[in-house]
Amino acid sequence: MSSQVVLPRIMQVGENASLEIPNILISLNCKRPLIITDKMMVELGYARRIKDCLSEDQISADIFDDTVPEPTVHSIQAGVEKAREGNYDCIIALGGGSPIDSAKAIAILAKHGGVMQDYRFPRMVIEQGLPVIAIPTTAGTGSEVTRFTIITDESNDEKMLCVGMGFMPIAALVDYKLTISLPPRITADTGIDALTHAMEAYVSKKANAYSDSQAIASIKLIGPHLRKAYHKGEDQQAREAMMLGSTLAGIAFSNASVALVHGMSRPIGAFFHVPHGLSNAMLLPSVTAFSIPAAPARYADCARAMGVATVQDSNDTANQKLLIELQALNEELAVPTPQQFGINRDTFFDVCQTMAEQALASGSPSNNPIEPSINEMVAIYKGLWD
Ligand SMILES: [Fe+2]
């Protein structure tokens, strides 16, 4: 059996990769870019830097900075109008996962019309939108190399998963220098998200030899460097490892899918506005414990790649060490419980059933080594309060 692998056409990886943006545009024959980003990237001067860098090669870029965290159907509308008006031939997506996800959605809607609901999973979006050149500024979502975007439908608080080749950026500029000043909280949340991508890709029913190689390489980079990047953000080596690890994890899950953690995490994010990486982190230990019996060798490989178990350890021992490590990581990285995050227990319990149904509908739980029932997912949600 063969597996299809979908990647960006160009990847520029390493120190100051983002400064190669004029050459990338020239090689793609793009002359009129719209930079889609957020206010923070403008405030930090990152958007200006890209714009200035382009103007040195006589490429003039406009900036749209009205993207929001956890983008919604409504929030991307102004971006769609802006992209349509300006006769742009490409989009530069600059920022964390939210600006990049927004840009991917805008790129499709600007060219093909309709509303985002039209493009939700299970539809496979093969239409090509405006070409997107992604420049991530967090080491986490991997959105720069995935054929996914997540847009929230605010009419029912559902995070819609949108899938297809149309959402794959044409180029990704992976520059760890842009992550040096990330605050510890974002470093932790996005870093655990990346680790979750790699682990879920590796245990996914859709895993293949190619995605496995990317996932394991990613876990080997993230395992020893996540704590370092969290405690000492200026550690260049840790930041470089996290950035590459995050991109490799993105490649892994884009070609093998995520599984139960992501399936269950999206509804928590949509209902309670928990940042994506945090809701993953809340779920990762218990979903891993639930899933290990169906894929003990796979999870043991993850433990060894993280460096918490050795080749001499049996799979059982490695998996015990993995669960201890995931819990310890959450504690050291100060991941709050839902209660500590400020969620009301009764409100949470009231929507557990709906969250489980939405999780199932997203399709991700069916990639899990064990396909959970609705009741099992409800039990996992409720277990986060024990
Ligand atoms: Fe994620």
Side-chain angles (χ1 to χ4, degrees), residues 140-142 150 189-190 192-194 196-197 200 253 258 261-262 265-266 276-277 280:
T141 69
I150 310 267
D189 296 353
T190 51
I192 297 177
D193 186 28
T196 309
H197 294 154
E200 294 215 281
F253 91 83
V258 283
V261 178
H262 272 75
S265 170
R266 290 183 208 107
H276 173 68
N280 280 345

Side-chain angles (χ1 to χ4, degrees), residues 249-264:
I251 292 171
F253 91 83
S254 186
N255 292 289
S257 291
V258 283
L260 186 54
V261 178
H262 272 75
M264 291 183 63

